[in-house]
């Protein structure tokens, strides 16, 4: 099997940070995929980081050398690698793992690298997401996990959430902490915009459980004044 490393480092505060870090030093042969440009669609009514269009993702994945028979090894920051892991599975490519760059003991390369372009064939998976209307209707029967840090979960003022708060009944499972013990039931993960929630879903997968992603997350929910919100 052929391996392809993909660098998915990014920063919420500095859109160019991830590529600069990649150029400064990356695993040899790794391609770079930008969490905002390649792993998300344009911001809007669906939130800050809606899912990318299938054709756009196929093009980006193919340019990164991801195709049939390729095992992807993703690393990144702020949920970037887990977002790629989730998107690959969503679009039909199961062969992917996530590693921590800090654990890499080999050399690093500098500068840009161009992967051999291949064709990424989309085979969209169904039943791995839940939309705003479905979550609003079913939230009382679901185990809803909020992957944001505790202060944002509590609805404290912050520079990211336009309307501080959370989806009523959600449990806090911060993406940067160990996953807590969770009750039985169908799981849904959300965060600020659908990126770091993929960390929670990856950890659930490693535990042998699965969950749905609410792609729009709080950045979509907060736009709807008719929907309930909770603080504290």
């Amino acid at each position: 099997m052929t391996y392809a490393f993909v660098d998915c480092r990014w920063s919420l505060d500095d859109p160019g940070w991830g590529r600069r870090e990649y150029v400064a030093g990356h695993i040899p042969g790794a391609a770079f995929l930008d969490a905002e440009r390649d792993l998300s669609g344009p911001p809007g009514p669906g939130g800050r980081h809606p899912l990318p269009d299938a054709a756009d993702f196929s093009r980006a994945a193919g340019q990164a050398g991801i195709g049939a028979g390729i095992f992807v090894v993703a690393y990144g920051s702020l949920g970037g690698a887990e977002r790629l892991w989730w998107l690959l599975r969503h679009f039909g490519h199961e062969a992917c793992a996530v590693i921590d760059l800090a654990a890499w003991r080999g050399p690093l390369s500098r500068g840009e690298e161009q992967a051999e372009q291949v064709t990424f064939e989309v085979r969209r998976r169904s039943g791995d997401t839940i939309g705003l209307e479905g979550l609003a209707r079913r939230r009382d029967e679901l185990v809803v996990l909020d992957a944001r840090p505790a202060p944002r979960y509590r609805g404290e003022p912050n520079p990211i959430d336009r309307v501080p708060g959370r989806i009523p009944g959600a449990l806090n499972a911060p993406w940067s902490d160990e996953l807590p013990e969770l009750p039985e039931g169908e799981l849904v993960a959300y965060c600020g915009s659908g990126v770091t929630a993929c960390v929670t879903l990856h950890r659930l997968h490693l535990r042998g459980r699965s969950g749905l992603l609410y792609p729009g997350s709080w950045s979509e929910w907060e736009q709807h004044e008719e929907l309930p919100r909770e603080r504290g």
Side-chain angles (χ1 to χ4, degrees):
M1 179 172 287
T2 303
Y3 291 83
F5 288 94
V6 182
D7 189 316
C8 303
R9 285 176 284 181
W10 76 293
S11 168
L12 191 60
D13 301 325
D14 183 352
W17 177 83
R19 182 169 287 279
R20 292 197 304 272
E21 290 294 301
Y22 169 80
V23 170
H26 58 267
I27 292 177
F32 178 79
L33 287 178
D34 186 271
E36 297 194 83
R37 187 184 68 248
D38 301 316
L39 307 183
S40 304
R48 285 196 311 276
H49 297 113
L51 298 185
D53 176 80
D56 291 339
F57 180 76
S58 175
R59 189 179 310 110
Q63 290 173 347
I66 303 172
I70 300 296
F71 191 95
V72 180
V73 181
Y75 64 91
S77 61
L78 204 62
E82 289 84 358
R83 173 76 162 200
L84 176 59
W85 168 85
W86 189 91
L87 284 170
L88 287 171
R89 291 166 58 83
H90 178 68
F91 288 118
H93 191 96
E94 299 278 342
C96 181
V98 174
I99 66 169
D100 186 349
L101 180 58
W104 176 256
R105 293 295 178 263
L108 295 177
S109 294
R110 296 175 60 87
E112 297 278 358
E113 293 203 45
Q114 200 74 32
E116 180 181 353
Q117 186 164 344
V118 298
T119 298
F120 180 89
E121 183 180 349
V122 170
R123 298 185 302 276
R124 191 191 298 270
R125 172 185 291 185
S126 61
D128 59 358
T129 65
I130 189 168
L132 180 142
E133 292 183 3
L135 182 54
R137 183 177 66 253
R138 299 184 55 211
R139 62 182 176 83
D140 290 339
E141 63 189 65
L142 300 168
V143 179
V144 181
L145 306 178
D146 187 322
R148 295 174 298 169
R152 291 175 63 195
Y153 167 81
R154 292 193 295 266
E156 297 176 10
N158 66 85
I160 301 173
D161 302 315
R162 184 177 59 83
V163 181
R166 65 175 178 270
I167 296 173
L171 306 176
N172 195 203
W175 71 272
S176 56
D177 296 345
E178 289 296 319
L179 195 64
E181 291 299 320
L182 299 170
E184 295 297 319
E186 188 174 6
L187 296 162
V188 173
Y190 80 95
C191 56
S193 62
V195 177
T196 55
C198 294
V199 177
T200 298
L201 292 172
H202 181 250
R203 289 176 178 162
L204 285 171
H205 172 76
L206 296 178
R207 282 191 179 185
R209 296 190 68 176
S210 62
L212 307 178
L213 175 67
Y214 169 33
S217 287
W218 186 253
S219 61
E220 179 185 32
W221 189 279
E222 69 178 2
Q223 298 180 51
H224 293 264
E225 296 183 359
E226 76 280 7
L227 293 176
R229 301 161 183 166
E230 190 173 68
R231 299 179 68 175

